[in-house]
Amino acid sequence: LFAKIAPRYDLINDLQSFGLHRYWKNHLLKLAKIKPGERALDVCCGTGDISFGLAKHGAQVTGLDFSKPMLSVAESKVQSLKFKVEDMPKFIEGDAQNLLFPDASFEVVTVGYGLRNLPSWERGLEEMYRVAKPDARLLVLDFGKPDNAIWRKLYFSYLRWMVPVFGKLFCGDSATHAYILESLKAYPAQRGVEEKMRALNCKNVRVVNFLGGVMSVNYGEK
């Protein structure tokens, strides 16, 4: 699925979110409070938006994803963004549930729209915590589940009926984005991630909701 949508992934994100995904990612970057030279890991980095944002804020960034076509799109952006060689994010193929890094390796660990897609989101968050240094910031950006039942029903209707249209028009297959709602049904969203962060003994845990909980950032510190 991700191999199929990789060439138009960024375009569809702009369309289905009305461009708001850029604002949400920028808010995550502000919460990360990057200090120049800090090491950052962007898990499930996809086409690299968050990775590039972390690098622009001065971090030494590794972007990890399991999809070669998505990583190829990320790497194709590097030259157009005019990074110095030493400042470029490093993109590698890898498994978010078995990260190829020692314990306590990074000051910042992020994931955007990826935790929900793992076979075990809990395992993914545990791995993020494992590779984070003491006091490191962990940030999760993903689709949320609004607390308000009426708003949640309207939002799910949008995901059910409108988002697949974008997949059909721009990828030739409505199933390419119909999966979002299906994956969200089994994902506990911001409240579940918040609870798991607390279970991992993260401190300063909080949830930042957008559009009444349609989208959210979970934040915690190791």
Side-chain angles (χ1 to χ4, degrees), residues 119-149:
S120 171
W121 68 268
E122 297 99 326
R123 172 68 177 173
L125 193 57
E126 288 166 2
E127 278 291 274
M128 291 173 63
Y129 184 87
R130 179 184 67 78
V131 301
K133 292 182 177 181
D135 296 322
R137 288 84 74 199
L138 288 82
L139 299 105
V140 179
L141 168 63
D142 216 321
F143 290 86
K145 289 184 176 178
D147 292 329
N148 183 283

Side-chain angles (χ1 to χ4, degrees), residues 25-146:
K25 290 169 182 172
N26 283 334
H27 198 92
L28 177 147
L29 294 170
K30 290 179 182 178
L31 289 171
K33 296 181 179 178
I34 298 293
K35 301 178 183 67
E38 287 188 320
R39 294 189 68 197
L41 174 65
D42 184 26
V43 180
C44 303
C45 66
T47 58
D49 280 358
I50 293 174
S51 296
F52 292 123
L54 291 166
K56 286 179 180 178
H57 282 72
Q60 298 176 2
V61 183
T62 300
L64 177 142
D65 202 281
F66 79 111
S67 171
K68 287 184 180 179
M70 296 287 274
L71 290 172
S72 294
V73 173
E75 288 167 349
S76 72
K77 297 179 181 179
V78 171
Q79 289 186 339
S80 65
L81 293 172
K82 299 180 180 178
F83 280 100
K84 294 180 181 178
V85 173
E86 61 271 22
D87 296 333
M88 290 180 183
K90 307 297 189 297
F91 292 107
I92 63 172
E93 185 181 358
D95 181 358
Q97 296 182 121
N98 293 282
L99 294 173
L100 304 173
F101 306 101
D103 296 357
S105 294
F106 300 94
E107 282 88 7
V108 177
V109 187
T110 65
V111 60
Y113 306 111
L115 202 62
R116 165 179 46 87
N117 292 320
L118 300 179
S120 171
W121 68 268
E122 297 99 326
R123 172 68 177 173
L125 193 57
E126 288 166 2
E127 278 291 274
M128 291 173 63
Y129 184 87
R130 179 184 67 78
V131 301
K133 292 182 177 181
D135 296 322
R137 288 84 74 199
L138 288 82
L139 299 105
V140 179
L141 168 63
D142 216 321
F143 290 86
K145 289 184 176 178

